[in-house]
Amino acid sequence: MASGHTATREQRARDVRVWDLPTRLFHWTLALLVAIAVVSAKMDALSVHMFVGETILALVLFRLVWGIVGSQTARFSDFIKGPRAILAYIAQSKTPGAAPVTLGHNPLGGLMVVVLLLALGAQAGSGLFTSDDIVVDGPLVPLVAGATVKALSTLHRLLSDGILILVGLHVAAVLAYLLVKKDNLIRPMITGRKRVAHPVEEPRRASPLLALAILLAAVGLVSLVARAAG
C-alpha cells in the first residue's frame, strides 16, 4: 500500500520553473566575483579588487531593483517575512514535513539573502572611499574628509570578515538542506526548475530584457559615481 502511495506521488511530481535566468546569472556571477575580490585582496592585486568591487556594487543595485519589479520568486515581497514567521518556520523545520513548502526562498533563506545583499552593498560602497594611506585610494576619497575615509576604511576591513562568515553560513545551510533534509537547493539555481510533489501554479516571470535594462542602468550609475571625483 505504501509503495502505491509512493508511486502516485512520483507520478504527480513535476518540474516547476522557479528561478528565472537573470536571478540565476546574478547568483553565480556574484559568487564568482566575491571569490575574486577575496583572492585579489590577499594578493594585493588592488586594481583588480577595485574593479570587481564596483562590479559587485552594480550587481547589488540590480538585485535590489529586480527584487521590486522582477519575477515573482525574485521579489522581496515573496520571501521577506517578519520575525514571527521566521521563528515559526524554524520551529516547524524541527519536525519532518511540518514546515510549509516554498517554491523560492523560505523565510530563513530570505533573511540570509537580505543580510548578504546589505553587507555586500555596504562593503562595495565603502570601498569607494577606502584608503590604505600608502599608494591606493578609492575613487571617491578626494570627495570626503579624512575622518570619513578612516571610518569607512575600518568598516571595509571589518565587513570583509563578516561577509566570509555569512558566505560560510549560507554554504553550510545549503549543504544541510541537501544532506539532512534531502532538499536540493543547488539544482534549481542551476537549471531554474524545482521538483515539486503537489500541484502548484508556476511563478510569474518578468522579461529578461527588463533585467538587462536594469543591469545596464546599474552599471552606468556605478561607473558615473565612481568617477565623480575625476
mmCIF file of all heavy atoms in Angstrom, residues 71-103:
data_model
loop_
_atom_site.group_PDB
_atom_site.id
_atom_site.type_symbol
_atom_site.label_atom_id
_atom_site.label_comp_id
_atom_site.label_asym_id
_atom_site.label_seq_id
_atom_site.Cartn_x
_atom_site.Cartn_y
_atom_site.Cartn_z
ATOM 1 N N SER A 71 10.780 38.915 -11.477
ATOM 2 C CA SER A 71 9.908 37.749 -11.435
ATOM 3 C C SER A 71 9.416 37.489 -10.014
ATOM 4 O O SER A 71 10.016 37.947 -9.035
ATOM 5 C CB SER A 71 10.651 36.521 -11.967
ATOM 6 O OG SER A 71 11.060 36.725 -13.316
ATOM 7 N N GLN A 72 8.347 36.729 -9.916
ATOM 8 C CA GLN A 72 7.661 36.552 -8.628
ATOM 9 C C GLN A 72 8.585 36.049 -7.528
ATOM 10 O O GLN A 72 8.615 36.614 -6.434
ATOM 11 C CB GLN A 72 6.495 35.581 -8.809
ATOM 12 C CG GLN A 72 5.699 35.318 -7.530
ATOM 13 C CD GLN A 72 4.535 34.379 -7.763
ATOM 14 O OE1 GLN A 72 4.022 34.265 -8.873
ATOM 15 N NE2 GLN A 72 4.113 33.689 -6.727
ATOM 16 N N THR A 73 9.342 34.986 -7.783
ATOM 17 C CA THR A 73 10.187 34.418 -6.732
ATOM 18 C C THR A 73 11.407 35.277 -6.432
ATOM 19 O O THR A 73 12.060 35.081 -5.407
ATOM 20 C CB THR A 73 10.654 33.002 -7.114
ATOM 21 O OG1 THR A 73 11.232 33.042 -8.433
ATOM 22 C CG2 THR A 73 9.503 32.015 -7.093
ATOM 23 N N ALA A 74 11.722 36.226 -7.322
ATOM 24 C CA ALA A 74 12.852 37.121 -7.086
ATOM 25 C C ALA A 74 12.448 38.334 -6.268
ATOM 26 O O ALA A 74 13.309 39.034 -5.724
ATOM 27 C CB ALA A 74 13.456 37.572 -8.412
ATOM 28 N N ARG A 75 11.159 38.584 -6.146
ATOM 29 C CA ARG A 75 10.698 39.778 -5.454
ATOM 30 C C ARG A 75 10.811 39.631 -3.937
ATOM 31 O O ARG A 75 10.501 38.590 -3.378
ATOM 32 C CB ARG A 75 9.247 40.091 -5.845
ATOM 33 C CG ARG A 75 9.099 40.472 -7.310
ATOM 34 C CD ARG A 75 7.742 41.056 -7.593
ATOM 35 N NE ARG A 75 7.617 41.452 -8.997
ATOM 36 C CZ ARG A 75 6.668 42.238 -9.485
ATOM 37 N NH1 ARG A 75 5.730 42.701 -8.651
ATOM 38 N NH2 ARG A 75 6.633 42.536 -10.763
ATOM 39 N N PHE A 76 11.210 40.702 -3.303
ATOM 40 C CA PHE A 76 11.333 40.686 -1.845
ATOM 41 C C PHE A 76 9.988 40.394 -1.176
ATOM 42 O O PHE A 76 9.939 39.766 -0.116
ATOM 43 C CB PHE A 76 11.880 42.024 -1.346
ATOM 44 C CG PHE A 76 13.263 42.336 -1.850
ATOM 45 C CD1 PHE A 76 13.526 43.523 -2.503
ATOM 46 C CD2 PHE A 76 14.294 41.441 -1.677
ATOM 47 C CE1 PHE A 76 14.794 43.815 -2.964
ATOM 48 C CE2 PHE A 76 15.582 41.721 -2.133
ATOM 49 C CZ PHE A 76 15.830 42.909 -2.785
ATOM 50 N N SER A 77 8.921 40.841 -1.805
ATOM 51 C CA SER A 77 7.597 40.606 -1.236
ATOM 52 C C SER A 77 7.258 39.122 -1.169
ATOM 53 O O SER A 77 6.376 38.726 -0.410
ATOM 54 C CB SER A 77 6.536 41.342 -2.058
ATOM 55 O OG SER A 77 6.548 40.904 -3.414
ATOM 56 N N ASP A 78 7.958 38.322 -1.958
ATOM 57 C CA ASP A 78 7.691 36.886 -1.987
ATOM 58 C C ASP A 78 8.377 36.149 -0.847
ATOM 59 O O ASP A 78 7.914 35.086 -0.431
ATOM 60 C CB ASP A 78 8.154 36.298 -3.328
ATOM 61 C CG ASP A 78 7.727 34.850 -3.514
ATOM 62 O OD1 ASP A 78 6.514 34.615 -3.668
ATOM 63 O OD2 ASP A 78 8.609 33.949 -3.483
ATOM 64 N N PHE A 79 9.480 36.707 -0.321
ATOM 65 C CA PHE A 79 10.225 35.924 0.675
ATOM 66 C C PHE A 79 10.659 36.684 1.922
ATOM 67 O O PHE A 79 11.165 36.082 2.867
ATOM 68 C CB PHE A 79 11.458 35.267 0.032
ATOM 69 C CG PHE A 79 12.437 36.229 -0.590
ATOM 70 C CD1 PHE A 79 13.358 36.906 0.183
ATOM 71 C CD2 PHE A 79 12.459 36.424 -1.959
ATOM 72 C CE1 PHE A 79 14.289 37.773 -0.390
ATOM 73 C CE2 PHE A 79 13.374 37.284 -2.555
ATOM 74 C CZ PHE A 79 14.288 37.959 -1.758
ATOM 75 N N ILE A 80 10.480 37.975 1.969
ATOM 76 C CA ILE A 80 10.813 38.693 3.197
ATOM 77 C C ILE A 80 9.651 38.552 4.176
ATOM 78 O O ILE A 80 8.526 38.970 3.885
ATOM 79 C CB ILE A 80 11.101 40.179 2.921
ATOM 80 C CG1 ILE A 80 12.405 40.332 2.145
ATOM 81 C CG2 ILE A 80 11.186 40.949 4.245
ATOM 82 C CD1 ILE A 80 12.791 41.776 1.896
ATOM 83 N N LYS A 81 9.940 37.967 5.302
ATOM 84 C CA LYS A 81 8.924 37.733 6.337
ATOM 85 C C LYS A 81 9.354 38.394 7.638
ATOM 86 O O LYS A 81 10.527 38.698 7.853
ATOM 87 C CB LYS A 81 8.708 36.236 6.553
ATOM 88 C CG LYS A 81 8.418 35.443 5.281
ATOM 89 C CD LYS A 81 7.134 35.885 4.613
ATOM 90 C CE LYS A 81 6.867 35.079 3.343
ATOM 91 N NZ LYS A 81 5.646 35.531 2.639
ATOM 92 N N GLY A 82 8.385 38.578 8.525
ATOM 93 C CA GLY A 82 8.667 39.176 9.816
ATOM 94 C C GLY A 82 9.280 38.176 10.787
ATOM 95 O O GLY A 82 9.353 36.973 10.507
ATOM 96 N N PRO A 83 9.748 38.656 11.936
ATOM 97 C CA PRO A 83 10.385 37.776 12.930
ATOM 98 C C PRO A 83 9.498 36.615 13.359
ATOM 99 O O PRO A 83 9.986 35.496 13.549
ATOM 100 C CB PRO A 83 10.662 38.729 14.104
ATOM 101 C CG PRO A 83 10.730 40.083 13.484
ATOM 102 C CD PRO A 83 9.759 40.069 12.351
ATOM 103 N N ARG A 84 8.208 36.857 13.511
ATOM 104 C CA ARG A 84 7.294 35.789 13.953
ATOM 105 C C ARG A 84 7.248 34.652 12.933
ATOM 106 O O ARG A 84 7.311 33.471 13.292
ATOM 107 C CB ARG A 84 5.902 36.352 14.180
ATOM 108 C CG ARG A 84 4.902 35.319 14.701
ATOM 109 C CD ARG A 84 3.564 35.952 15.005
ATOM 110 N NE ARG A 84 3.684 36.983 16.022
ATOM 111 C CZ ARG A 84 2.669 37.731 16.444
ATOM 112 N NH1 ARG A 84 1.455 37.555 15.923
ATOM 113 N NH2 ARG A 84 2.854 38.639 17.381
ATOM 114 N N ALA A 85 7.178 35.005 11.650
ATOM 115 C CA ALA A 85 7.130 33.987 10.601
ATOM 116 C C ALA A 85 8.446 33.215 10.525
ATOM 117 O O ALA A 85 8.461 31.998 10.302
ATOM 118 C CB ALA A 85 6.817 34.632 9.254
ATOM 119 N N ILE A 86 9.555 33.916 10.711
ATOM 120 C CA ILE A 86 10.861 33.256 10.664
ATOM 121 C C ILE A 86 11.012 32.279 11.826
ATOM 122 O O ILE A 86 11.448 31.133 11.643
ATOM 123 C CB ILE A 86 11.990 34.313 10.688
ATOM 124 C CG1 ILE A 86 11.950 35.153 9.415
ATOM 125 C CG2 ILE A 86 13.355 33.629 10.830
ATOM 126 C CD1 ILE A 86 12.908 36.324 9.419
ATOM 127 N N LEU A 87 10.634 32.716 13.020
ATOM 128 C CA LEU A 87 10.728 31.836 14.187
ATOM 129 C C LEU A 87 9.792 30.638 14.047
ATOM 130 O O LEU A 87 10.143 29.511 14.429
ATOM 131 C CB LEU A 87 10.407 32.624 15.456
ATOM 132 C CG LEU A 87 11.428 33.697 15.852
ATOM 133 C CD1 LEU A 87 10.933 34.490 17.055
ATOM 134 C CD2 LEU A 87 12.787 33.055 16.158
ATOM 135 N N ALA A 88 8.601 30.861 13.486
ATOM 136 C CA ALA A 88 7.660 29.760 13.282
ATOM 137 C C ALA A 88 8.225 28.752 12.291
ATOM 138 O O ALA A 88 8.082 27.536 12.484
ATOM 139 C CB ALA A 88 6.321 30.306 12.777
ATOM 140 N N TYR A 89 8.869 29.253 11.249
ATOM 141 C CA TYR A 89 9.459 28.351 10.254
ATOM 142 C C TYR A 89 10.570 27.519 10.885
ATOM 143 O O TYR A 89 10.681 26.308 10.634
ATOM 144 C CB TYR A 89 10.004 29.144 9.072
ATOM 145 C CG TYR A 89 10.677 28.265 8.044
ATOM 146 C CD1 TYR A 89 9.931 27.584 7.086
ATOM 147 C CD2 TYR A 89 12.064 28.094 8.041
ATOM 148 C CE1 TYR A 89 10.535 26.761 6.155
ATOM 149 C CE2 TYR A 89 12.674 27.274 7.119
ATOM 150 C CZ TYR A 89 11.915 26.611 6.180
ATOM 151 O OH TYR A 89 12.525 25.782 5.266
ATOM 152 N N ILE A 90 11.408 28.146 11.710
ATOM 153 C CA ILE A 90 12.492 27.423 12.375
ATOM 154 C C ILE A 90 11.922 26.328 13.275
ATOM 155 O O ILE A 90 12.407 25.191 13.282
ATOM 156 C CB ILE A 90 13.371 28.395 13.197
ATOM 157 C CG1 ILE A 90 14.113 29.354 12.255
ATOM 158 C CG2 ILE A 90 14.369 27.621 14.043
ATOM 159 C CD1 ILE A 90 14.879 30.449 12.986
ATOM 160 N N ALA A 91 10.867 26.659 14.025
ATOM 161 C CA ALA A 91 10.247 25.674 14.917
ATOM 162 C C ALA A 91 9.633 24.522 14.127
ATOM 163 O O ALA A 91 9.771 23.351 14.494
ATOM 164 C CB ALA A 91 9.182 26.362 15.779
ATOM 165 N N GLN A 92 8.968 24.831 13.032
ATOM 166 C CA GLN A 92 8.340 23.790 12.216
ATOM 167 C C GLN A 92 9.373 22.917 11.514
ATOM 168 O O GLN A 92 9.130 21.731 11.264
ATOM 169 C CB GLN A 92 7.416 24.443 11.179
ATOM 170 C CG GLN A 92 6.195 25.102 11.787
ATOM 171 C CD GLN A 92 5.470 25.997 10.796
ATOM 172 O OE1 GLN A 92 6.012 26.371 9.753
ATOM 173 N NE2 GLN A 92 4.237 26.354 11.120
ATOM 174 N N SER A 93 10.533 23.498 11.210
ATOM 175 C CA SER A 93 11.568 22.744 10.498
ATOM 176 C C SER A 93 12.138 21.610 11.336
ATOM 177 O O SER A 93 12.747 20.678 10.805
ATOM 178 C CB SER A 93 12.703 23.685 10.062
ATOM 179 O OG SER A 93 12.236 24.637 9.132
ATOM 180 N N LYS A 94 11.956 21.684 12.649
ATOM 181 C CA LYS A 94 12.463 20.626 13.522
ATOM 182 C C LYS A 94 11.677 19.330 13.380
ATOM 183 O O LYS A 94 12.163 18.257 13.734
ATOM 184 C CB LYS A 94 12.442 21.104 14.979
ATOM 185 C CG LYS A 94 13.343 22.301 15.246
ATOM 186 C CD LYS A 94 13.221 22.781 16.679
ATOM 187 C CE LYS A 94 14.093 24.007 16.924
ATOM 188 N NZ LYS A 94 13.958 24.510 18.326
ATOM 189 N N THR A 95 10.458 19.440 12.842
ATOM 190 C CA THR A 95 9.614 18.257 12.626
ATOM 191 C C THR A 95 9.537 17.982 11.130
ATOM 192 O O THR A 95 9.096 18.839 10.367
ATOM 193 C CB THR A 95 8.195 18.483 13.164
ATOM 194 O OG1 THR A 95 8.272 18.816 14.550
ATOM 195 C CG2 THR A 95 7.349 17.237 12.976
ATOM 196 N N PRO A 96 9.980 16.805 10.678
ATOM 197 C CA PRO A 96 9.962 16.493 9.252
ATOM 198 C C PRO A 96 8.573 16.657 8.642
ATOM 199 O O PRO A 96 7.589 16.132 9.167
ATOM 200 C CB PRO A 96 10.417 15.024 9.204
ATOM 201 C CG PRO A 96 11.226 14.849 10.450
ATOM 202 C CD PRO A 96 10.562 15.719 11.483
ATOM 203 N N GLY A 97 8.514 17.431 7.562
ATOM 204 C CA GLY A 97 7.262 17.611 6.853
ATOM 205 C C GLY A 97 6.337 18.663 7.425
ATOM 206 O O GLY A 97 5.278 18.944 6.861
ATOM 207 N N ALA A 98 6.717 19.270 8.552
ATOM 208 C CA ALA A 98 5.828 20.250 9.196
ATOM 209 C C ALA A 98 5.967 21.643 8.589
ATOM 210 O O ALA A 98 4.998 22.392 8.537
ATOM 211 C CB ALA A 98 6.114 20.320 10.693
ATOM 212 N N ALA A 99 7.175 21.976 8.130
ATOM 213 C CA ALA A 99 7.392 23.306 7.574
ATOM 214 C C ALA A 99 6.698 23.438 6.222
ATOM 215 O O ALA A 99 6.682 22.494 5.434
ATOM 216 C CB ALA A 99 8.894 23.559 7.412
ATOM 217 N N PRO A 100 6.089 24.589 5.947
ATOM 218 C CA PRO A 100 5.409 24.781 4.661
ATOM 219 C C PRO A 100 6.397 24.722 3.500
ATOM 220 O O PRO A 100 7.538 25.179 3.619
ATOM 221 C CB PRO A 100 4.793 26.180 4.798
ATOM 222 C CG PRO A 100 5.617 26.867 5.839
ATOM 223 C CD PRO A 100 6.028 25.795 6.796
ATOM 224 N N VAL A 101 5.962 24.161 2.386
ATOM 225 C CA VAL A 101 6.802 24.059 1.202
ATOM 226 C C VAL A 101 6.816 25.400 0.476
ATOM 227 O O VAL A 101 5.769 26.014 0.260
ATOM 228 C CB VAL A 101 6.285 22.951 0.260
ATOM 229 C CG1 VAL A 101 7.120 22.905 -1.018
ATOM 230 C CG2 VAL A 101 6.321 21.610 0.968
ATOM 231 N N THR A 102 7.988 25.868 0.130
ATOM 232 C CA THR A 102 8.115 27.127 -0.594
ATOM 233 C C THR A 102 8.807 26.866 -1.920
ATOM 234 O O THR A 102 9.755 26.078 -1.987
ATOM 235 C CB THR A 102 8.933 28.146 0.213
ATOM 236 O OG1 THR A 102 10.208 27.576 0.557
ATOM 237 C CG2 THR A 102 8.215 28.539 1.489
ATOM 238 N N LEU A 103 8.343 27.533 -2.965
ATOM 239 C CA LEU A 103 8.988 27.374 -4.263
ATOM 240 C C LEU A 103 10.307 28.128 -4.302
ATOM 241 O O LEU A 103 11.316 27.620 -4.780
ATOM 242 C CB LEU A 103 8.061 27.893 -5.373
ATOM 243 C CG LEU A 103 6.923 26.977 -5.798
ATOM 244 C CD1 LEU A 103 6.105 27.639 -6.899
ATOM 245 C CD2 LEU A 103 7.455 25.632 -6.273
#
